[in-house]
Amino acid sequence: MTTATLPTDELLTVPEVMARLKLGRSTIYDLIRSRRLTSITVGRARRIPVDAVRDFITFEIEEAA
């Protein structure tokens, strides 16, 4: 049996998202907690899909317009 896996470049760490969005750690965790930024937990590690970051940016741009 084979399982589908995501390439590691599709899942970002919190520090990587912080750098991309130029936001602080607590702000990223607040966005995750409020479900404005989708994330998954793998063991004790928090990972954010690249698509979730793109969706967040798109939503924020639409809201600002």
Side-chain angles (χ1 to χ4, degrees), residues 12-15 29 32 38-48:
L12 303 172
T13 64
V14 170
Y29 279 106
I32 291 169
T38 304
S39 70
I40 62 171
T41 304
V42 181
R44 293 186 62 191
R46 179 69 63 175
R47 296 293 180 259
I48 299 100

Side-chain angles (χ1 to χ4, degrees), residues 12-60:
L12 303 172
T13 64
V14 170
E16 290 170 333
V17 174
M18 289 168 51
R20 287 181 184 223
L21 296 179
K22 297 185 179 26
L23 296 172
R25 184 175 192 266
S26 61
T27 302
I28 298 300
Y29 279 106
D30 286 343
L31 292 171
I32 291 169
R33 207 171 299 118
S34 67
R35 299 182 188 257
R36 292 173 59 202
L37 184 61
T38 304
S39 70
I40 62 171
T41 304
V42 181
R44 293 186 62 191
R46 179 69 63 175
R47 296 293 180 259
I48 299 100
V50 171
D51 291 341
V53 176
R54 287 188 196 117
D55 292 345
F56 171 76
I57 293 168
T58 301
F59 179 78
E60 291 299 313

